[in-house]
Every structure is written in C-alpha cells, then in structure tokens.
Amino acid sequence: MKGMSMDNIRGLILAVSSSVFIGSSFIIKKQGLKKAGSSGPRAGQGGHSYLYEPWWWAGMITMIIGEIANFAAYAYAPAILVTPLGALSIIFSAVLAHFILKERLHIFGMLGCALCVVGSTTIVLHAPKERHIESVKQVSHLATEPGFLVYFWVVLAVVAVLIFRYVPRYGQTHLVVYIGICSLMGSLTVMGVKAVGIALKLSFGGMNQFKYFETWIFTIIVIFCCLLQINYLNKALDTFNTAVVCPVYYVMFTTFTIIASIIMFKDWNSQGGTEITTELCGFITILAGTFLLHKTKDMGKSSSGRLPVYTSPEPNTVSESR
C-alpha cells in the first residue's frame, strides 16, 4: 500500500461527509414525495406538486450540501477514489429507510452494507494520486481528445434514445430506464464538476481561471446535466423502493463515472497491474454488496419467494412496497 497524499486525504474527508448528507437526502425527499403524492399527481406520473412540499425542499437542501462537499472532493482527489465512496450513502440511506420509511433491511442487506464498506476501504487504500493540473485549459485539452469525445457523443445519443423511446414505454416498470439516464449524464456531470472544482481551487490559490471561456463551458455542462439528473431521479424515487433506487443508481453511476475518468484523466496510467487489480476487486466487492441489498429488499413480503429484479409493482398499483 502506498501512502496517501494530503490532497487525497482532503478528498476522502469531503467524500465521506458528502455521503452522509446525500444518504439522508434520499429519505427526506422520499417523505416529501409521499406527502405530495397524497394530495396531487405523483412525480412518477409527471406531477410536480412536490415543489410545494417543505419536506422535499429540506431533502434538496441536504442533497445540495452533500453535493457541494462532493464537488470539493473532486477538486482534490481522482474520481476513482471519490466516486466509489458513494457506497456509504447507500448504507446510510438503507439504514434510515429501515427505521423511518419501514422499508426493512434484513440480515443479507446488513451483509451487503458490510461488503460496501470493505470494498470502499480497499479502493481508498490503493487509489491513484490526483493528477497535477496547472490550468483549466489543460482539462479542456483532455476533454477534447478523441477518446473522450467519442464517449461524450455516445452518452448523449443513448440518453436521447432512453428519454424519447423507452421512458414512455417502460419508465414506470423498469428502474434501469430512469437510473440509466441519471447515471450516464452523471458521468458527464462529474467530469464537468472536476473541471470547475479545479478552476475554483486554482483561482483561490491566486491563478484566476474564470477568465477562460472553457471554465464557463464546463459550468454550463454541469448545470444542464444536474437539472436532467434531478428530474429523472425524482421519477425513480417516486416510482420505486428507495432501498433499490440508491444501490442501483450507485452501481450504474459509479461504473460510468470511473469509465469516463479513465478515458479523460487517464487515472490508471501511473499505476501498476497489482494496484489496478486491487481497485477492481474493491469495486466488485461493492457491487456484490449492492446486489445483496437489492435482492433482499422484499424478503419476507412475498409468499412466492420470488424477488423482482429491476421492476416496480404494476403501474396502477400504489403500495408501501414501492
């Protein structure tokens, strides 16, 4: 194990704090969506009555605080270190959902939480050091290399197909449709957030980066992607069980973000095969934990013993199992 740099330690502290706030926000927002759904059209059916619900706004504020901490973490540490720590928000939200929303967390769910912690620890101990960047123009150069440009346009094309073709048909019954949109756009959001975070860090250090148009382009990309994510995450939370939304979102978001980071920032170029393999094992351990959390969410509720994979109850049925 190599020693962690001070920047990585700062990023670690910020990422853990972020997970606590974000994990709590899922539960608070869910409460707001449930209250709004009892007096108007549900968000999953296109309603926006949750905008008048104080609980939903409390959840949004909590999430914003968490995202600010996460934003700062990306300025100090590589995405391969920061993003997998989102597993801690899964644990926190699953435990809160167990006690507050009565979405039971069984023994295998607890084992899943433990696996998430082990996997996260493994990645933290073997994560690459942050790449030294002296200007936002350097980030812009990385973002316009052929490899990342291909990734960028493929993501936009897939998201467009999901929104215009699959959301109307399968959005209410297949979680991966909503979460796929959030996760793909989220990977672009993180790359933009990292660029803006680096610009802020350098600007506070005396090198103004906001005189470059590239900084503002990255800022616009972040705002657009965030708004799209919030919209479809609300639909997912209102339609499906919170204990399922959080881990599935985490798995897909983390996977796409790590892929985007490897392509754009070339995080693995400075590491050997052993370190990369260890990080992959840590990530697979986290995936196993989230899989357990998902597969056991309905344990004890169904007499048939069958557990749904990525689907919600029938579209016209509203029940506590959601």
Side-chain angles (χ1 to χ4, degrees):
M1 180 191 76
K2 61 182 182 180
M4 292 182 67
S5 66
M6 282 305 300
D7 276 352
N8 276 23
I9 292 173
R10 292 189 186 101
L12 171 62
I13 294 171
L14 287 166
V16 172
S17 301
S18 169
S19 293
V20 173
F21 282 105
I22 292 175
S24 302
S25 75
F26 278 109
I27 307 304
I28 300 172
K29 286 174 67 179
K30 179 78 172 187
Q31 290 283 65
L33 289 168
K34 289 173 68 176
K35 288 178 178 292
S38 64
S39 59
R42 300 176 65 89
Q45 298 171 344
H48 294 88
S49 57
Y50 58 84
L51 293 174
Y52 302 97
E53 176 54 52
W55 275 99
W56 185 84
W57 282 107
M60 276 302 300
I61 292 171
T62 305
M63 176 170 279
I64 289 170
I65 294 172
E67 292 295 350
I68 290 173
N70 201 44
F71 183 102
Y74 282 112
Y76 289 99
I80 289 179
L81 168 61
V82 176
T83 307
L85 290 178
L88 301 180
S89 69
I90 298 175
I91 296 171
F92 205 69
S93 63
V95 171
L96 289 180
H98 176 82
F99 291 106
I100 297 175
L101 300 179
K102 308 306 179 184
E103 297 175 359
R104 292 193 62 192
L105 182 64
H106 294 271
I107 185 64
F108 289 110
M110 296 176 188
L111 177 59
C113 291
L115 287 173
C116 288
V117 171
V118 171
S120 296
T121 303
T122 302
I123 291 176
V124 165
L125 294 177
H126 296 85
K129 292 183 179 179
E130 172 70 333
R131 184 186 185 121
H132 180 65
I133 294 179
E134 299 177 347
S135 169
V136 74
K137 284 185 170 290
Q138 188 176 345
V139 182
S140 178
H141 174 73
L142 293 172
T144 52
E145 289 187 349
F148 188 74
L149 284 178
V150 169
Y151 178 83
F152 179 83
W153 289 112
V154 167
V155 165
L156 291 186
V158 173
V159 167
V161 171
L162 287 173
I163 290 175
F164 296 109
R165 181 177 177 84
Y166 289 97
V167 165
R169 298 181 180 183
Y170 305 111
Q172 292 290 305
T173 56
H174 290 72
L175 175 62
V176 290
V177 176
Y178 289 149
I179 297 303
I181 295 170
C182 294
S183 302
L184 286 166
M185 294 307 293
S187 68
L188 299 183
T189 302
V190 169
M191 298 304 102
V193 163
K194 190 164 181 65
V196 176
I198 289 171
L200 285 169
K201 184 174 72 170
L202 292 173
S203 296
F204 287 137
M207 296 180 288
N208 182 22
Q209 300 297 303
F210 287 87
K211 63 183 179 181
Y212 302 123
F213 75 91
E214 289 91 345
T215 303
W216 296 105
I217 290 177
F218 282 124
T219 302
I220 292 171
I221 290 173
V222 169
I223 293 172
F224 172 77
C225 293
C226 281
L227 291 175
L228 197 64
Q229 283 178 261
I230 289 171
N231 182 48
Y232 285 97
L233 183 58
N234 280 333
K235 291 180 182 293
L237 281 170
D238 189 56
T239 308
F240 302 94
N241 191 314
T242 308
V244 182
V245 171
C246 295
V248 173
Y249 178 46
Y250 167 78
V251 171
M252 295 182 68
F253 170 71
T254 303
T255 301
F256 288 125
T257 298
I258 288 177
I259 291 171
S261 184
I262 290 170
I263 295 173
M264 181 171 168
F265 289 97
K266 302 173 179 61
D267 292 323
W268 281 350
N269 283 8
S270 62
Q271 293 193 292
T274 301
E275 292 170 321
I276 293 173
T277 301
T278 303
E279 289 168 18
L280 287 175
C281 288
F283 184 52
I284 291 172
T285 302
I286 295 173
L287 295 186
T290 56
F291 177 79
L292 272 178
L293 278 170
H294 168 66
K295 290 294 287 183
T296 61
K297 74 180 182 69
D298 288 328
M299 185 178 289
K301 290 183 180 180
S302 174
S303 58
S304 66
R306 294 182 61 190
L307 301 177
V309 182
Y310 291 110
T311 59
S312 72
E314 292 300 319
N316 296 326
T317 301
V318 179
S319 69
E320 277 298 305
S321 66
R322 304 170 79 175

